Amino acid sequence: MCRQIAGAAPEGWLRATANGFADKQGVGLAGVSYKLAASDEYTAEVDLRRCLRQAYRASGASEQGLTIELTVDASGRFEAVTGRGVSRVSHPKRGFMYVLEPETLPPDPGDEQDGPVNPTPAGDPEEAVRLLREYLGRRAELLGGMLDDPCGILPAPLPPARLEEVESRLNVAFPADLRALYGVADGDGQAGLFGRLSWWMDAAGVVAVHDGDRHWAPPRWRDQPFRPFVHDADPPGTVRRSVDRRGWIPFVIGTDGNYLAVDMDPASGGRPGQVIRIGSGHYHGPTYVADSVTTLLRRYVDALARGDHRIGEDGDLWIDVPEPPKGAGTHLQTLRVTEDNEADLQLARQAPFLRVVELSRCRSADLTALHEAPVETLDIDLKTIDLAPLAGHPTLRAVTLTTPDPVDLGTLRTLPHLEGLDLSRASTRGIRVIAELEGLLYLALRYEQWQELWAHTDRMPALAAAFLAGKVPYDKVADWTAQLNAHTVDRRPTAQQIHYGHR
């Protein structure tokens, strides 16, 4: 691999870096980055796929896959770190992520919410079919194709036996109004009934998306650092605070990677069969759209009746369907303060849905007001940080501290739900407190902080993932992973190797 990288190098190069990954599904490789003598950087595509596959097979073809980090000097010296748990995160210059337990993820906030107070679906199957026929008729009129059978433009109905088979495969029943629509047509044949660039999927498409790679689903540790926060939908309490659930059935697919889904697992204020928007653009949580497919269809019919539409030059029909009204300011969920003086956090006392607080470039902040808010994620960048007002905070899950002055960490042991902690940009006092944080799943520290922690304790929380911040030489990365394995005896050891060689 190093020979290939050197062979593709531009004139005047000093060093090259490459990050690769291989598993049973295939291989992945970012472009090779070359540092040039003129302090410039140059990125080139070097095909290392064959070598990555060979390395993966030689490593024992682990289920976790194999990561390879290569550094190649123009002198011929190279370094390589291979492992089944270490990988660069989305910001490679920040450091290394080591995944000890890939399947151990932070708890899903949606699992902690109650089910619907009213379990009766809001949709009406007969009304839904009537609205579909009216909608198709109005569309045909506008597009100059008045049809005797407005539904003739759609695929054939889905046979009842096939629909039951689909529901059995999904292990989730469709709401009655959506069932009735599939009794009229098996999708819209890419007619774009629910949006110009969206298609009502046929049953086979629904099964494929539901059972396939739900790309918007919660990421694995190696894809991004700890992120416990999920927005509450608006109105609050209607949709569970999850990124994905098996009770969500996507039935409309968009070209933007998002979906309309029927929610058969709503929160306390929702109704089974409500329509939500999920997908790649909703990694902070779903968007509430309508209480049923019936209501969604009614909006399309009403928009056409009002004349809220236009026909584009390409003959496509654009329909202006309004989204449901958003809530008032009391639904504030994220508070960012960047004032160049003392941060005023009194707003938190009147924000019953506040989940994230970010403070930066402030001279100081009294955190007392946050104790009364259901904050889960706290990111503080201050010259001096006093955590004492947060003692016993009942909902804090993730804390990130950035400060040049030493911060007393004693308060952390009083936080019952703390799961993620990032001190990699903080000066700390009493770092041995971390050993007492039994619920901690993710910890980010600098190399010297890790060494200080291990020097003061032989205990460690049962971490699922750890982060080593900064530009750290590969030999220290290997030493760090070895020490992590040694200090977390209840985890299965992951082989790590450090290689030095000469081209």
Side-chain angles (χ1 to χ4, degrees):
M1 294 171 76
C2 294
R3 279 196 294 270
Q4 285 186 248
I5 290 171
E11 191 75 25
W13 72 290
L14 299 177
R15 171 171 288 196
T17 57
N19 306 319
F21 179 81
D23 60 16
K24 289 187 175 180
Q25 278 68 51
V27 298
L29 179 74
V32 178
S33 177
Y34 294 91
K35 183 174 176 56
L36 307 182
S39 298
D40 295 329
E41 289 194 358
Y42 170 80
T43 300
E45 297 294 331
V46 182
D47 189 357
L48 303 175
R49 291 174 296 178
R50 179 172 172 272
C51 291
L52 281 169
R53 282 192 290 268
Q54 289 178 326
Y56 174 58
R57 288 194 294 269
S59 74
S62 164
E63 290 290 340
Q64 290 178 279
L66 176 73
T67 61
I68 298 180
E69 307 275 350
L70 279 175
T71 300
V72 187
D73 288 344
S75 66
R77 185 179 186 276
F78 68 85
E79 294 179 354
V81 173
T82 67
R84 298 187 182 93
V86 177
S87 65
R88 292 284 189 180
V89 293
S90 54
H91 304 286
K93 295 181 180 179
R94 281 208 58 214
F96 287 87
M97 176 85 83
Y98 181 16
V99 181
L100 293 100
E101 287 291 334
E103 301 305 319
T104 302
L105 297 171
D108 187 337
D111 291 341
E112 301 170 0
Q113 294 176 271
D114 294 331
V117 173
N118 184 352
T120 306
D124 182 328
E126 293 183 2
E127 177 70 358
V129 170
R130 186 193 68 77
L131 287 168
L132 176 63
R133 294 183 182 277
E134 181 179 352
Y135 175 39
L136 291 168
R138 288 181 180 273
R139 281 177 59 98
E141 258 188 89
L142 291 169
L143 295 174
M146 188 60 180
L147 304 172
D148 294 333
D149 177 11
C151 296
I153 64 170
L154 298 181
L158 186 67
R162 171 59 178 152
L163 182 56
E164 290 181 8
E165 179 185 326
V166 168
E167 290 180 322
S168 176
R169 175 74 176 270
L170 302 181
N171 200 28
V172 182
F174 285 19
D177 53 357
L178 185 58
R179 282 180 61 94
L181 295 186
Y182 276 105
V184 173
D186 187 11
D188 67 10
Q190 297 192 356
L193 296 186
F194 292 98
R196 178 175 171 269
L197 299 178
S198 299
W199 297 283
W200 171 21
M201 293 185 288
D202 59 18
V206 171
V207 170
V209 171
H210 195 271
D211 288 353
D213 179 14
R214 295 166 76 102
H215 58 83
W216 66 91
R220 299 298 182 187
W221 283 110
R222 76 191 239 333
D223 295 322
Q224 70 175 37
F226 188 91
R227 188 202 296 254
F229 172 67
V230 179
H231 277 285
D232 201 331
D234 197 352
T238 51
V239 188
R240 291 184 187 266
R241 292 181 54 223
S242 301
V243 176
D244 188 38
R245 300 188 72 83
R246 301 309 292 179
W248 296 352
I249 309 174
F251 70 101
V252 173
I253 184 173
T255 58
D256 58 357
N258 295 313
Y259 300 82
L260 288 180
V262 284
D263 177 7
M264 302 307 293
D265 185 18
S268 59
R271 305 277 294 274
Q274 63 190 9
V275 180
I276 60 176
R277 189 171 285 114
I278 60 177
S280 56
H282 298 267
Y283 61 92
H284 271 316
T287 298
Y288 178 86
V289 176
D291 64 5
S292 64
V293 177
T294 307
T295 296
L296 181 63
L297 273 171
R298 188 177 294 114
R299 288 180 189 161
Y300 277 88
V301 171
D302 290 347
L304 292 183
R306 290 191 305 267
D308 292 343
H309 59 80
R310 64 183 177 86
I311 299 177
E313 294 181 359
D314 53 2
D316 286 344
L317 179 61
W318 298 72
I319 307 174
D320 184 13
V321 179
E323 291 285 330
K326 301 300 180 183
T330 55
H331 295 166
L332 174 70
Q333 297 186 59
T334 299
L335 176 62
R336 296 184 177 91
V337 182
T338 58
E339 299 174 359
D340 190 21
N341 49 39
E342 182 172 358
D344 183 2
L345 301 177
Q346 295 307 308
L347 182 61
R349 299 182 187 276
Q350 288 82 43
F353 301 99
L354 182 63
R355 309 289 184 183
V356 177
V357 173
E358 299 176 1
L359 308 178
S360 64
R361 299 196 298 274
C362 305
R363 294 179 185 174
S364 60
D366 182 356
L367 304 180
T368 304
L370 299 185
H371 205 289
E372 302 177 19
V375 178
E376 296 179 1
T377 300
L378 183 59
D379 189 337
I380 308 177
D381 182 354
L382 301 174
K383 184 177 185 302
T384 302
I385 299 175
D386 179 12
L387 296 176
L390 298 176
H393 196 291
T395 59
L396 267 178
R397 297 188 180 207
V399 174
T400 299
L401 303 180
T402 302
T403 178
D405 292 349
V407 55
D408 187 344
L409 302 178
T411 301
L412 297 179
R413 61 165 66 95
T414 71
L415 305 179
H417 295 291
L418 185 64
E419 297 159 351
L421 180 62
D422 186 344
L423 303 175
S424 62
R425 288 168 289 188
S427 176
T428 59
R429 185 167 59 248
I431 199 168
R432 70 182 67 186
V433 167
I434 292 174
E436 303 176 39
L437 306 179
E438 296 183 357
L440 204 64
L441 296 177
Y442 170 78
L443 177 62
L445 300 173
R446 302 185 301 276
Y447 184 80
E448 60 271 20
Q449 289 175 312
W450 284 106
Q451 298 303 313
E452 181 185 357
L453 175 61
W454 290 326
H456 285 92
T457 180
D458 58 359
R459 295 181 56 205
M460 278 289 291
L463 299 175
F467 189 79
L468 176 61
K471 296 187 69 174
V472 183
Y474 286 160
D475 56 342
K476 288 189 175 181
V477 175
D479 174 64
W480 171 68
T481 57
Q483 290 194 67
L484 270 174
N485 285 328
H487 283 82
T488 52
V489 294
D490 56 330
R491 300 295 188 189
R492 289 172 300 173
T494 301
Q496 300 296 324
Q497 300 174 324
I498 184 79
H499 302 282
Y500 296 94
H502 197 281
R503 176 169 55 86

